[in-house]
Structures are given as structure tokens and as C-alpha cells.
Amino acid sequence: MCFRPEDDVEGYGNDPILSDKQILDWSDRLLLKLVPEDTRKLHLWPTNPTQFREVVSGYSDELKRIVEALMKAMARCVGLEEDCFLKQYGGKEMMMSRFNHYPVCPRPDVVLGVKAHSDGSGVTVLLQDDKVEGLQILKEGRWYGVPIIPHALVVNVGDQMQIMSNGIFKSPMHRAAVSATRERYSLAVFHLPDPEVEIGPAQDLVTKELPQQYRNLKNYSAINFDCFQKGEIALDSVKI
Ligand SMILES: O=C(O)CCC(=O)C(=O)O
Ligand SMILES: [Fe+2]
């Protein structure tokens, strides 16, 4: 019922095939827009388990509150007015959820659950599997496993926060490994600006020492998608 329709990105399916050179991710995923609420495609939302809609709606409301508080704190951290980043989002911020399932894989030495990427969001909140590790972050050329911390959420800075902060907050490269013996689940919620609204480096963070690093732009998700298909890094393509 909730299978991804051919002309849509939302719904349940495997890694979508966008090019014949693409190495596929070892994962099934369910992609659902949560916010704006009036754009939810409820026909793609599972009805089993029966509490799914209620639980996910509640989670979405709480997360929106947390992310907004976080973005305010991040603005204050770099000496900006607290609503400086949120204001750039326009009135219609977006939240997209991705439920990842990584089945047991016979060759975890050559296959990834999610290939190395940085998130195209402003901020991503990850709810990790509480038993099976898999998330890895690239730091100074080495991959580090992210440990499971019970009841904790993992927050990832996304590319659009790197742009708005003029490169001060970094959007890390990360990937998900798979296991030969255990399946794994994760839930990523991407918090993004309204695609119709222009974002760019906060002018107070543009100085003589740190000139503007990125151009102003709209709909970064589309830029990200185009670059992914060409095998290019989206952030590099918008660098000045
Ligand atoms: O499964 C994970 O821990 C990471 C998933 C991820 O990076 C993503 O969905 O963008
Ligand atoms: Fe990610």
C-alpha cells in the first residue's frame, strides 16, 4: 500500500536507481514528509502498526520544537540573533523523515547501507538503532563509528547550515555500515528551509577575514540531487 509510486520520491522502496553507474545502498527505506502538515501524503503512511500515524505525528511535533530550539542555540553560539537561521527558512520549513532498514548482508566488507554523503538538510536528527551500531563519521581522513547512547538523539549539521553559517558549522561526511549477522534500523528526520525561499551565509558572519564562502541559493535539495547524479559534491558546486 505504501510503496513508492514511480513518479514520487516518497513511500517505501529500495535505493532509487538514478544512474547506471550508481552503486546501490543495501537498504529499504520509507520516505515521508512530516511538515508542512498539510502536505503529508497520508496514503503512503503505514496503517500497521495501528499507532504508527499517531506516534510519528507526536514525534514530528516534538522534534520540530527541539530543532527550533537547537537552531536558536546555534545562532547564539556564533554571536547572531537567535532567530537568524530560522528566519532564513521562511514561514514554511520542511521536515522529511527517512525510516532506514538495513537487512543482514552477506558481504559487509564490500557493501554499505548508505554510501558516504553529507546531508542536504539544515539539520538532521537521527534516532539510532538501540542495539546495532552502523553510523560512521569521516574525520581527518578516517572513519569513526558513532556509539549508541541509549535514549539519545544524534544531531547532524547539514549542508544548508554550513552555507548559512558561512562554513563555520561543518556538515560531516557520514555513511552507514551493514552487518553479516544483525539487521539494523534508523530514523533520520531532515529539517530544511522552504525550497521557494533564498538562503545564504548570514551577513554578520561575512567578514574581511572570512569572506562569503557560498552563493545565495534556493531549493538546495534540487542542486544536491543533480550533483549526486553527476557524482559531484553539491557544496563544492555552490562555493564562491
Ligand atoms: O542509518 C544511519 O545511521 C544513517 C542514515 C543517514 O545518514 C541518512 O539517512 O541520511
Ligand atoms: Fe545522512
Side-chain angles (χ1 to χ4, degrees):
M1 281 296 272
C2 41
F3 286 113
R4 181 176 62 224
E6 234 176 271
D7 55 352
D8 204 342
V9 293
E10 283 186 63
Y12 178 81
N14 303 106
D15 192 9
I17 300 174
L18 305 170
S19 104
D20 52 8
K21 289 191 228 93
Q22 184 181 340
I23 297 170
L24 293 181
D25 291 341
W26 190 271
S27 74
D28 310 319
R29 53 187 69 149
L30 172 66
L31 204 75
L32 297 174
K33 196 190 280 186
L34 304 177
V35 172
E37 280 182 43
D38 59 358
T39 61
R40 287 183 185 173
K41 294 181 181 163
L42 289 175
H43 59 288
L44 297 175
W45 288 46
T47 47
N48 178 22
T50 47
Q51 327 84 305
F52 181 87
R53 291 183 182 192
E54 193 189 322
V55 170
V56 172
S57 293
Y59 186 66
S60 170
D61 292 346
E62 290 300 314
L63 225 49
K64 186 162 179 283
R65 203 174 50 76
I66 291 172
V67 172
E68 286 175 0
L70 192 68
M71 303 242 311
K72 287 182 182 173
M74 289 174 84
R76 283 200 306 267
C77 263
V78 288
L80 299 174
E81 301 253 326
E82 66 171 16
D83 56 356
C84 180
F85 295 135
L86 273 175
K87 247 204 255 159
Q88 290 214 33
Y89 272 49
K92 262 198 297 173
E93 66 206 86
M94 194 157 104
M95 275 171 49
M96 197 79 179
S97 62
R98 183 152 99 168
F99 298 76
N100 297 302
H101 172 227
Y102 307 102
V104 166
C105 174
R107 291 296 306 273
D109 52 327
V110 287
V111 176
L112 287 165
V114 179
K115 286 181 289 300
H117 66 283
S118 62
D119 291 341
S121 56
V123 163
T124 306
V125 181
L126 260 175
L127 181 62
Q128 293 249 60
D129 196 295
D130 58 0
K131 293 184 192 67
V132 185
E133 282 186 6
L135 179 63
Q136 299 174 347
I137 300 274
L138 186 66
K139 188 165 178 251
E140 289 153 8
R142 275 192 56 191
W143 289 102
Y144 294 88
V146 176
I148 294 166
I149 303 174
H151 310 295
L153 297 168
V154 174
V155 177
N156 242 348
V157 170
D159 289 358
Q160 300 198 65
M161 179 54 90
Q162 181 160 335
I163 293 169
M164 290 190 297
S165 68
N166 203 25
I168 292 176
F169 292 118
K170 305 275 190 254
S171 169
M173 272 288 183
H174 57 282
R175 64 184 190 185
V178 285
S179 155
T181 53
R182 305 179 81 180
E183 62 180 346
R184 176 172 177 265
Y185 291 91
S186 70
L187 168 58
V189 176
F190 307 98
H191 187 258
L192 310 150
D194 177 350
E196 309 277 318
V197 167
E198 187 172 271
I199 64 141
Q203 279 311 301
D204 286 346
L205 299 178
V206 175
T207 56
K208 211 152 73 252
E209 295 73 41
L210 185 65
Q212 184 163 344
Q213 302 291 302
Y214 301 99
R215 66 175 172 85
N216 291 358
L217 53 90
K218 275 186 198 170
N219 199 358
Y220 183 79
S221 302
I223 300 174
N224 205 13
F225 183 78
D226 266 7
C227 285
F228 179 76
Q229 277 177 299
K230 290 190 253 161
E232 291 169 8
I233 298 192
L235 262 185
D236 290 348
S237 77
V238 297
K239 194 144 175 55
I240 291 178

Short mmCIF file of all heavy atoms in Angstrom, two decimals, residues 54-98:
data_model
loop_
_atom_site.label_atom_id
_atom_site.label_comp_id
_atom_site.label_asym_id
_atom_site.label_seq_id
_atom_site.Cartn_x
_atom_site.Cartn_y
_atom_site.Cartn_z
N GLU A 54 -0.13 8.14 14.77
CA GLU A 54 -0.19 8.93 15.99
C GLU A 54 1.22 9.12 16.58
O GLU A 54 1.61 10.23 16.95
CB GLU A 54 -1.08 8.19 16.97
CG GLU A 54 -1.50 8.98 18.16
CD GLU A 54 -2.20 8.08 19.18
OE1 GLU A 54 -2.96 7.18 18.76
OE2 GLU A 54 -1.93 8.27 20.38
N VAL A 55 1.99 8.02 16.62
CA VAL A 55 3.33 8.09 17.21
C VAL A 55 4.23 9.00 16.36
O VAL A 55 4.95 9.86 16.88
CB VAL A 55 3.95 6.67 17.34
CG1 VAL A 55 5.42 6.75 17.72
CG2 VAL A 55 3.17 5.86 18.36
N VAL A 56 4.17 8.84 15.03
CA VAL A 56 5.04 9.63 14.16
C VAL A 56 4.63 11.11 14.19
O VAL A 56 5.48 12.00 14.20
CB VAL A 56 5.06 9.05 12.72
CG1 VAL A 56 5.79 9.98 11.77
CG2 VAL A 56 5.72 7.67 12.74
N SER A 57 3.33 11.38 14.27
CA SER A 57 2.89 12.78 14.36
C SER A 57 3.39 13.42 15.65
O SER A 57 3.87 14.57 15.64
CB SER A 57 1.36 12.88 14.38
OG SER A 57 0.86 12.48 13.16
N GLY A 58 3.30 12.69 16.73
CA GLY A 58 3.77 13.19 18.02
C GLY A 58 5.27 13.43 17.99
O GLY A 58 5.77 14.46 18.45
N TYR A 59 5.99 12.47 17.41
CA TYR A 59 7.45 12.59 17.30
C TYR A 59 7.81 13.83 16.45
O TYR A 59 8.71 14.59 16.80
CB TYR A 59 7.99 11.30 16.65
CG TYR A 59 9.50 11.22 16.59
CD1 TYR A 59 10.26 11.12 17.77
CD2 TYR A 59 10.17 11.20 15.37
CE1 TYR A 59 11.64 11.03 17.71
CE2 TYR A 59 11.55 11.10 15.31
CZ TYR A 59 12.28 11.02 16.48
OH TYR A 59 13.65 10.93 16.42
N SER A 60 7.08 14.02 15.38
CA SER A 60 7.32 15.15 14.49
C SER A 60 7.13 16.49 15.24
O SER A 60 7.96 17.40 15.13
CB SER A 60 6.35 15.03 13.31
OG SER A 60 6.37 16.19 12.53
N ASP A 61 6.06 16.59 16.01
CA ASP A 61 5.80 17.83 16.76
C ASP A 61 6.94 18.11 17.75
O ASP A 61 7.43 19.24 17.86
CB ASP A 61 4.50 17.72 17.58
CG ASP A 61 3.28 17.66 16.69
OD1 ASP A 61 3.40 17.96 15.49
OD2 ASP A 61 2.20 17.28 17.21
N GLU A 62 7.35 17.07 18.47
CA GLU A 62 8.41 17.24 19.48
C GLU A 62 9.73 17.62 18.81
O GLU A 62 10.47 18.47 19.30
CB GLU A 62 8.60 15.95 20.29
CG GLU A 62 7.46 15.63 21.22
CD GLU A 62 7.23 16.72 22.26
OE1 GLU A 62 8.22 17.19 22.86
OE2 GLU A 62 6.08 17.11 22.45
N LEU A 63 10.00 16.95 17.69
CA LEU A 63 11.27 17.20 17.01
C LEU A 63 11.34 18.61 16.45
O LEU A 63 12.39 19.26 16.48
CB LEU A 63 11.40 16.19 15.86
CG LEU A 63 12.74 15.51 15.70
CD1 LEU A 63 13.25 14.95 17.00
CD2 LEU A 63 12.66 14.42 14.65
N LYS A 64 10.22 19.09 15.96
CA LYS A 64 10.17 20.45 15.41
C LYS A 64 10.54 21.45 16.51
O LYS A 64 11.33 22.37 16.31
CB LYS A 64 8.75 20.72 14.88
CG LYS A 64 8.59 22.02 14.16
CD LYS A 64 7.32 21.97 13.32
CE LYS A 64 7.07 23.24 12.57
NZ LYS A 64 6.54 24.33 13.40
N ARG A 65 10.00 21.21 17.68
CA ARG A 65 10.28 22.06 18.82
C ARG A 65 11.77 22.00 19.19
O ARG A 65 12.43 23.02 19.40
CB ARG A 65 9.42 21.55 19.99
CG ARG A 65 9.11 22.51 21.08
CD ARG A 65 8.13 21.87 22.07
NE ARG A 65 8.50 20.54 22.55
CZ ARG A 65 9.44 20.28 23.46
NH1 ARG A 65 10.11 21.28 24.00
NH2 ARG A 65 9.71 19.05 23.83
N ILE A 66 12.32 20.77 19.20
CA ILE A 66 13.74 20.59 19.57
C ILE A 66 14.65 21.26 18.54
O ILE A 66 15.60 21.96 18.88
CB ILE A 66 14.08 19.08 19.69
CG1 ILE A 66 13.36 18.48 20.90
CG2 ILE A 66 15.58 18.85 19.78
CD1 ILE A 66 13.47 16.97 20.99
N VAL A 67 14.34 21.03 17.25
CA VAL A 67 15.23 21.57 16.21
C VAL A 67 15.20 23.10 16.24
O VAL A 67 16.23 23.75 16.06
CB VAL A 67 14.83 21.02 14.82
CG1 VAL A 67 15.61 21.74 13.73
CG2 VAL A 67 15.09 19.53 14.74
N GLU A 68 14.02 23.67 16.47
CA GLU A 68 13.95 25.13 16.50
C GLU A 68 14.78 25.68 17.68
O GLU A 68 15.50 26.67 17.52
CB GLU A 68 12.49 25.59 16.58
CG GLU A 68 11.82 25.38 15.23
CD GLU A 68 10.33 25.69 15.21
OE1 GLU A 68 9.77 26.07 16.26
OE2 GLU A 68 9.74 25.54 14.13
N ALA A 69 14.70 25.01 18.81
CA ALA A 69 15.49 25.45 19.97
C ALA A 69 16.99 25.32 19.66
O ALA A 69 17.80 26.19 20.00
CB ALA A 69 15.12 24.62 21.20
N LEU A 70 17.32 24.23 18.98
CA LEU A 70 18.72 23.97 18.64
C LEU A 70 19.26 25.02 17.67
O LEU A 70 20.38 25.53 17.82
CB LEU A 70 18.75 22.58 17.98
CG LEU A 70 20.08 21.94 17.77
CD1 LEU A 70 20.68 21.57 19.11
CD2 LEU A 70 19.91 20.67 16.92
N MET A 71 18.44 25.37 16.69
CA MET A 71 18.89 26.36 15.70
C MET A 71 19.08 27.72 16.36
O MET A 71 19.97 28.48 15.97
CB MET A 71 17.88 26.47 14.57
CG MET A 71 17.65 25.14 13.91
SD MET A 71 18.11 25.08 12.20
CE MET A 71 17.33 26.50 11.59
N LYS A 72 18.24 28.02 17.34
CA LYS A 72 18.40 29.28 18.07
C LYS A 72 19.71 29.26 18.86
O LYS A 72 20.46 30.23 18.88
CB LYS A 72 17.22 29.51 19.02
CG LYS A 72 15.95 29.87 18.29
CD LYS A 72 14.83 30.13 19.28
CE LYS A 72 13.54 30.44 18.53
NZ LYS A 72 12.40 30.55 19.41
N ALA A 73 19.97 28.11 19.51
CA ALA A 73 21.21 27.99 20.30
C ALA A 73 22.43 28.09 19.38
O ALA A 73 23.43 28.71 19.73
CB ALA A 73 21.21 26.66 21.06
N MET A 74 22.33 27.48 18.20
CA MET A 74 23.47 27.53 17.27
C MET A 74 23.73 28.96 16.81
O MET A 74 24.88 29.38 16.67
CB MET A 74 23.21 26.61 16.07
CG MET A 74 23.28 25.14 16.44
SD MET A 74 22.82 24.03 15.10
CE MET A 74 24.37 23.92 14.22
N ALA A 75 22.65 29.71 16.58
CA ALA A 75 22.82 31.11 16.17
C ALA A 75 23.52 31.90 17.29
O ALA A 75 24.46 32.65 17.03
CB ALA A 75 21.46 31.72 15.84
N ARG A 76 23.06 31.68 18.52
CA ARG A 76 23.67 32.41 19.66
C ARG A 76 25.15 32.05 19.80
O ARG A 76 25.97 32.89 20.10
CB ARG A 76 22.92 32.09 20.95
CG ARG A 76 21.59 32.83 21.06
CD ARG A 76 21.11 32.89 22.52
NE ARG A 76 21.05 31.58 23.13
CZ ARG A 76 19.97 30.79 23.16
NH1 ARG A 76 18.85 31.20 22.60
NH2 ARG A 76 20.01 29.61 23.74
N CYS A 77 25.46 30.77 19.55
CA CYS A 77 26.86 30.28 19.66
C CYS A 77 27.83 31.07 18.79
O CYS A 77 29.00 31.18 19.13
CB CYS A 77 26.94 28.86 19.13
SG CYS A 77 26.84 27.63 20.33
N VAL A 78 27.35 31.52 17.64
CA VAL A 78 28.26 32.25 16.75
C VAL A 78 27.95 33.76 16.78
O VAL A 78 28.27 34.49 15.85
CB VAL A 78 28.21 31.69 15.30
CG1 VAL A 78 28.90 30.34 15.23
CG2 VAL A 78 26.79 31.60 14.76
N GLY A 79 27.30 34.18 17.87
CA GLY A 79 27.11 35.61 18.11
C GLY A 79 26.00 36.26 17.30
O GLY A 79 25.99 37.47 17.12
N LEU A 80 25.06 35.46 16.78
CA LEU A 80 23.96 36.02 15.99
C LEU A 80 22.69 36.12 16.81
O LEU A 80 22.54 35.44 17.83
CB LEU A 80 23.69 35.12 14.78
CG LEU A 80 24.83 34.92 13.77
CD1 LEU A 80 24.42 33.89 12.74
CD2 LEU A 80 25.18 36.24 13.09
N GLU A 81 21.75 36.96 16.33
CA GLU A 81 20.40 36.98 16.92
C GLU A 81 19.85 35.56 16.83
O GLU A 81 20.04 34.89 15.81
CB GLU A 81 19.49 37.87 16.07
CG GLU A 81 19.95 39.27 15.95
CD GLU A 81 19.08 40.20 16.79
OE1 GLU A 81 17.89 39.91 16.88
OE2 GLU A 81 19.64 41.16 17.32
N GLU A 82 19.08 35.15 17.85
CA GLU A 82 18.74 33.72 17.91
C GLU A 82 17.85 33.23 16.76
O GLU A 82 17.93 32.07 16.38
CB GLU A 82 18.16 33.34 19.27
CG GLU A 82 16.83 33.94 19.58
CD GLU A 82 16.24 33.34 20.85
OE1 GLU A 82 16.98 32.70 21.62
OE2 GLU A 82 15.03 33.52 21.05
N ASP A 83 17.05 34.11 16.18
CA ASP A 83 16.20 33.60 15.10
C ASP A 83 16.80 33.82 13.70
O ASP A 83 16.13 33.69 12.68
CB ASP A 83 14.79 34.17 15.19
CG ASP A 83 14.82 35.68 15.18
OD1 ASP A 83 15.94 36.25 15.18
OD2 ASP A 83 13.74 36.29 15.17
N CYS A 84 18.10 34.12 13.68
CA CYS A 84 18.76 34.45 12.43
C CYS A 84 18.70 33.31 11.39
O CYS A 84 18.41 33.54 10.22
CB CYS A 84 20.20 34.81 12.76
SG CYS A 84 21.14 35.22 11.34
N PHE A 85 18.95 32.08 11.82
CA PHE A 85 18.89 30.96 10.86
C PHE A 85 17.43 30.61 10.55
O PHE A 85 17.07 30.41 9.39
CB PHE A 85 19.61 29.72 11.42
CG PHE A 85 21.10 29.91 11.60
CD1 PHE A 85 21.73 29.48 12.77
CD2 PHE A 85 21.86 30.50 10.60
CE1 PHE A 85 23.10 29.65 12.94
CE2 PHE A 85 23.24 30.67 10.76
CZ PHE A 85 23.86 30.24 11.94
N LEU A 86 16.62 30.56 11.59
CA LEU A 86 15.21 30.16 11.39
C LEU A 86 14.48 31.13 10.46
O LEU A 86 13.66 30.72 9.65
CB LEU A 86 14.49 30.10 12.73
CG LEU A 86 14.58 28.79 13.49
CD1 LEU A 86 13.92 28.92 14.84
CD2 LEU A 86 13.97 27.63 12.70
N LYS A 87 14.84 32.42 10.57
CA LYS A 87 14.20 33.43 9.72
C LYS A 87 14.47 33.13 8.25
O LYS A 87 13.62 33.33 7.40
CB LYS A 87 14.74 34.81 10.08
CG LYS A 87 13.67 35.71 10.70
CD LYS A 87 14.03 37.16 10.50
CE LYS A 87 14.53 37.73 11.79
NZ LYS A 87 15.31 38.87 11.84
N GLN A 88 15.69 32.62 7.98
CA GLN A 88 16.04 32.29 6.60
C GLN A 88 15.18 31.17 6.04
O GLN A 88 15.07 30.99 4.83
CB GLN A 88 17.50 31.84 6.52
CG GLN A 88 18.50 32.92 6.76
CD GLN A 88 19.76 32.70 5.92
OE1 GLN A 88 19.73 32.20 4.82
NE2 GLN A 88 20.89 33.09 6.46
N TYR A 89 14.60 30.36 6.92
CA TYR A 89 13.80 29.20 6.48
C TYR A 89 12.48 29.61 5.86
O TYR A 89 11.79 28.79 5.27
CB TYR A 89 13.53 28.27 7.67
CG TYR A 89 14.60 27.24 7.90
CD1 TYR A 89 15.93 27.59 7.94
CD2 TYR A 89 14.26 25.90 8.06
CE1 TYR A 89 16.91 26.64 8.16
CE2 TYR A 89 15.24 24.95 8.28
CZ TYR A 89 16.55 25.32 8.33
OH TYR A 89 17.52 24.38 8.53
N GLY A 90 12.11 30.88 6.03
CA GLY A 90 10.80 31.31 5.56
C GLY A 90 9.75 30.75 6.51
O GLY A 90 10.07 30.02 7.44
N GLY A 91 8.50 31.05 6.25
CA GLY A 91 7.45 30.59 7.16
C GLY A 91 7.18 29.10 7.03
O GLY A 91 6.54 28.51 7.89
N LYS A 92 7.66 28.50 5.92
CA LYS A 92 7.23 27.13 5.63
C LYS A 92 8.41 26.17 5.66
O LYS A 92 8.83 25.66 4.63
CB LYS A 92 6.57 27.09 4.25
CG LYS A 92 5.07 27.15 4.30
CD LYS A 92 4.43 26.67 3.00
CE LYS A 92 4.79 27.53 1.83
NZ LYS A 92 4.40 27.15 0.54
N GLU A 93 8.96 25.94 6.84
CA GLU A 93 10.05 24.98 6.92
C GLU A 93 9.53 23.59 6.57
O GLU A 93 8.31 23.35 6.61
CB GLU A 93 10.63 24.99 8.34
CG GLU A 93 9.65 24.48 9.37
CD GLU A 93 9.93 25.04 10.76
OE1 GLU A 93 9.43 26.13 11.04
OE2 GLU A 93 10.61 24.38 11.54
N MET A 94 10.45 22.70 6.24
CA MET A 94 10.04 21.36 5.82
C MET A 94 10.73 20.32 6.71
O MET A 94 11.87 20.53 7.12
CB MET A 94 10.50 21.17 4.39
CG MET A 94 9.88 20.01 3.72
SD MET A 94 9.94 20.29 1.95
CE MET A 94 11.25 19.24 1.49
N MET A 95 10.02 19.25 7.02
CA MET A 95 10.65 18.12 7.71
C MET A 95 10.31 16.85 6.95
O MET A 95 9.16 16.56 6.66
CB MET A 95 10.15 18.02 9.15
CG MET A 95 10.95 18.92 10.08
SD MET A 95 10.29 19.09 11.76
CE MET A 95 9.99 17.44 12.24
N MET A 96 11.37 16.13 6.60
CA MET A 96 11.24 14.91 5.80
C MET A 96 11.78 13.77 6.64
O MET A 96 12.88 13.89 7.21
CB MET A 96 12.13 15.12 4.57
CG MET A 96 11.85 14.21 3.46
SD MET A 96 10.38 14.83 2.60
CE MET A 96 10.27 13.62 1.35
N SER A 97 11.04 12.67 6.73
CA SER A 97 11.55 11.55 7.54
C SER A 97 11.99 10.42 6.62
O SER A 97 11.40 10.19 5.56
CB SER A 97 10.46 11.04 8.47
OG SER A 97 9.36 10.56 7.74
N ARG A 98 13.06 9.74 7.03
CA ARG A 98 13.51 8.57 6.29
C ARG A 98 13.73 7.44 7.29
O ARG A 98 14.62 7.51 8.14
CB ARG A 98 14.79 8.89 5.56
CG ARG A 98 15.27 7.74 4.71
CD ARG A 98 16.06 8.23 3.54
NE ARG A 98 17.47 8.12 3.81
CZ ARG A 98 18.40 8.27 2.89
NH1 ARG A 98 18.09 8.56 1.66
NH2 ARG A 98 19.67 8.14 3.21
#
